[in-house]
Amino acid sequence: MTDPRDVIAAKRDGRAIPEEDLDGFVRAYARGEIPDYQASAFLMAAYIRGMDTAEALALTRAMVASGETVELRGVTRPIVDKHSTGGVADSVTLVFAPLAAALGLAVAKLSGRGLGHTGGTLDKLESIPGLRTELEADAFVRQVEEVGCAVAAQTADLVPADKVLYALRDATATVSSVPLIAASVMSKKLAVPTHHVLLDGKAGSGAFMKTTREATDLAALCAEIGRGWGRAIRAAVTDMSQPLGEAIGNALDVAEAVEILSGARPGRLHDLVVTFATEAVAHFMGAGREEARTRVEGVLDSGQALASFARMVEAQGGDPRVTEDPWAVLPRAPVIRPILADRTGYLAAVEAEELGRASVDLGAGRHRKDDAIDPAAGIVFLPKIGDRLEAGMEIGVVHGRDEDAAGAAAGRVLAALAVSEEPVEAPRLVYGWHGAAP
Ligand code: URA
């Protein structure tokens, strides 16, 4: 193996690192053969110097090669993956997976838990009593083929380099680097042999990328990495300047997803799910966008997507009655308290990250990796930017374990809002797409 100091020095001085040297460095670090201080020096050099597309692709390849890849032999349906870079009230996957299944596609989703102020699909699903996300490899593949969708926890041997590098980045202030994030995200996508990846790159106050510029750079680089690998990918940049849906929690998100799957709830979360499903149908079935959208909406409105969700929940040991009467099954918080607007005017801005953090502090997320979460806790926030608020009107609900916690969360929500006397235009939902169109 090349001396790690040569790899660090090359990055420090802005010289190209030969692919095999980068590969050796990353895999040796994942095996514990390179100390944290050398990996930290490399990460900081990469953070400051950046990486070009070829180097980011080489890093991604090395990270994938550090562990096992998933086998999906036996799945005959076209397999699509949809991944969000993380946001607030972002339950797209909960709705997208069964919707895609009902459209004849397959979603084999290996998911993570909540990260920082953002929610995680596994935590949300596990709020359904009995539902398991630790699935054996065989059972996972069988479910993908038979039901059309399965959502399971990532195993320890999938991209182990990402686990150790992410923890080191977290401890060395090197998380927010476009190439490092792109390699981290794409390595986990490419280690699963799907046919098409849909990436939702979030931009705004509730995202890790606060500006559309940064989110666009990330989406474009992820699309390039996918192309370099030979995987079909479309990467969107979408709005996260406010919560996407209304529910910021776990059981609350499941209940909202069930409403959307019932065809009963319009709004930005619904619209984004339909946008991604339309992309998938257009890609696999060669349909034009109009025709694809009509098909997606038809399947959603007919109840077929909801039936797929019930099958997925049941296959993973959960109570499928959650799709008929969510609150007969889901846990409820002891204190449910309304949030009343304290001003009159137009909602102009929302500190979405603060809403996510307030929900975490209610128990919906973790401060430490091993913290237990409270599946019933969270916040429902109703208005969207541009909506008219009247002082005293109910704009949301806090679900908490006691009055003090709920009161504190309600205060934080109000403090996170900017209200204007002048009308405000709603932000766009999708800022742009990267990667080859079907
Ligand atoms: N999500 C990831 O998977 N990796 C990152 O680096 C950031 C967000």
Side-chain angles (χ1 to χ4, degrees), residues 5 25 28 142 271 379 414:
R5 287 171 295 188
F25 185 92
R142 216 174 318 116
D271 294 350
I379 294 167
L414 292 175

Side-chain angles (χ1 to χ4, degrees), residues 83-86 115 162 166 169 174-177 180-186 188 208 218:
H83 180 86
S84 162
T85 57
L115 194 62
D162 182 59
Y166 192 89
R169 284 165 59 208
T174 51
V175 169
S176 58
S177 143
L180 296 180
I181 295 177
S184 164
V185 167
M186 290 306 293
K188 288 171 288 192
F208 291 109
L218 179 60

Side-chain angles (χ1 to χ4, degrees), residues 63-216:
M63 288 169 70
V64 174
S66 72
E68 304 289 322
T69 50
V70 173
E71 288 281 349
L72 290 177
R73 261 201 292 273
V75 178
T76 55
R77 299 168 178 236
I79 310 168
V80 60
D81 192 3
K82 130 93 209 16
H83 180 86
S84 162
T85 57
V88 176
D90 176 5
S91 297
V92 171
T93 298
L94 282 186
V95 185
F96 177 87
L99 173 58
L103 286 159
L105 306 175
V107 178
K109 182 102 182 112
L110 293 177
S111 235
R113 301 197 175 273
L115 194 62
H117 65 281
T118 67
T121 306
L122 295 183
D123 295 328
K124 294 175 191 188
L125 279 172
E126 285 174 359
S127 69
I128 302 171
L131 191 138
R132 285 175 287 103
T133 57
E134 304 286 337
L135 304 183
E136 293 295 328
D138 288 356
F140 178 71
V141 174
R142 216 174 318 116
Q143 184 182 324
V144 171
E145 175 63 6
E146 288 171 7
V147 178
C149 54
V151 181
Q154 244 161 250
T155 55
D157 50 15
L158 190 88
V159 200
D162 182 59
K163 287 196 184 66
V164 284
L165 282 171
Y166 192 89
L168 194 61
R169 284 165 59 208
D170 203 21
T172 56
T174 51
V175 169
S176 58
S177 143
V178 166
L180 296 180
I181 295 177
S184 164
V185 167
M186 290 306 293
S187 60
K188 288 171 288 192
K189 300 295 96 190
L190 297 171
V192 183
T194 56
H195 300 116
H196 189 42
V197 176
L198 292 169
L199 189 76
D200 183 2
K202 298 289 188 195
S205 64
F208 291 109
M209 297 288 155
K210 301 296 181 202
T211 65
T212 45
R213 176 73 264 150
E214 291 169 301
T216 299

